[in-house]
Amino acid sequence: MDTSRGFLFITYKLYHHLSKLEGEHKSHCLNVFLSVMKYAWKKNGYEARLRHETIHKDTGLCRTTIKSCLSTLNKLNVVKSFRGKSGKTYIVNEVFLKAEKLYEPIKIAVKQPYDSRFTATLEEQYTLSNIDKIIGKNKGDKDRTINELATLPLPDLIGDTKNVYYCKLAIERKEELARQKNLVDPRIIARELKKISKETNVRYKEKRDFNIRNNIKPWEK
């Protein structure tokens, strides 16, 4: 039998669906279901042609119990069965499954023979990133380090896996600076409030209207 199958995930939906059953019958039905799944493959639409004898070898259950469990699974719409010429065909309801992945054997790396012609220099093997340089330059000065890191592009900070702590603080500082940039200058707010206050002042409105009617321009005095 082909054993190149990946992991098979049975959802909690199935387990709770079988909660309608009581006592050992629930565990027997789950056992029979797993036996059917041993032969029901995704590439075949989760269909398997089985005899009761095959399920008996997998589960150790007697044929009467197996028949009862298959009947129950059929009624619960978990495993549908159809009679064929040699045994029955069982089709598993994919609603109770999580998609499986095919297993791919792990490739073992093979060490290549040493060749001095391709020996990299120390400079080629290890190049300091801008993040490393800033942290090294400002060692001991946390605030200055974070402020300088915050000037770097965001993808560089997110992609760095070596200085996660400093990069996280730099990203937060970068976001803080962006928020501050979008804030309105308090002096502008004060000026506009003063303007609104004047516009709503009755005496000011009367004086302004008087000047307009008499073509008086106070700023030219």
Side-chain angles (χ1 to χ4, degrees), residues 67-173:
K67 185 176 180 180
S68 173
C69 290
L70 288 171
S71 175
T72 300
L73 293 173
N74 187 61
K75 290 177 182 177
L76 292 175
N77 197 29
V78 176
V79 177
K80 287 295 182 182
S81 58
F82 304 91
R83 186 177 297 280
K85 294 181 179 180
S86 57
K88 283 190 174 182
T89 298
Y90 301 97
I91 301 176
V92 180
N93 189 341
E94 295 185 44
V95 170
F96 301 102
L97 302 175
K98 184 177 179 181
E100 62 178 304
K101 296 180 180 179
L102 296 178
Y103 169 77
E104 295 183 1
I106 299 173
K107 296 180 181 180
I108 301 175
V110 179
K111 186 177 180 180
Q112 298 297 327
Y114 174 77
D115 190 337
S116 59
R117 292 176 301 171
F118 300 102
T119 302
T121 64
L122 182 60
E123 184 179 357
E124 292 171 334
Q125 290 177 350
Y126 181 70
T127 304
L128 286 174
S129 67
N130 290 332
I131 295 174
D132 292 321
K133 292 176 182 177
I134 291 173
I135 293 174
K137 181 181 67 174
N138 299 312
K139 194 172 183 180
D141 191 338
K142 183 178 176 181
D143 288 337
R144 186 171 181 179
T145 300
I146 295 170
N147 287 333
E148 287 197 28
L149 288 174
T151 62
L152 296 178
L154 186 59
D156 292 355
L157 297 172
I158 295 174
D160 188 272
T161 57
K162 182 181 176 184
N163 307 288
V164 178
Y165 173 71
Y166 277 106
C167 288
K168 180 183 177 182
L169 295 178
I171 292 172
E172 292 175 356
R173 181 64 56 82

Side-chain angles (χ1 to χ4, degrees), residues 15-28:
Y15 193 80
H16 293 311
H17 194 57
L18 295 180
S19 294
K20 300 175 183 178
L21 310 177
E22 297 180 353
E24 291 185 341
H25 192 47
K26 178 178 180 179
S27 61
H28 291 334

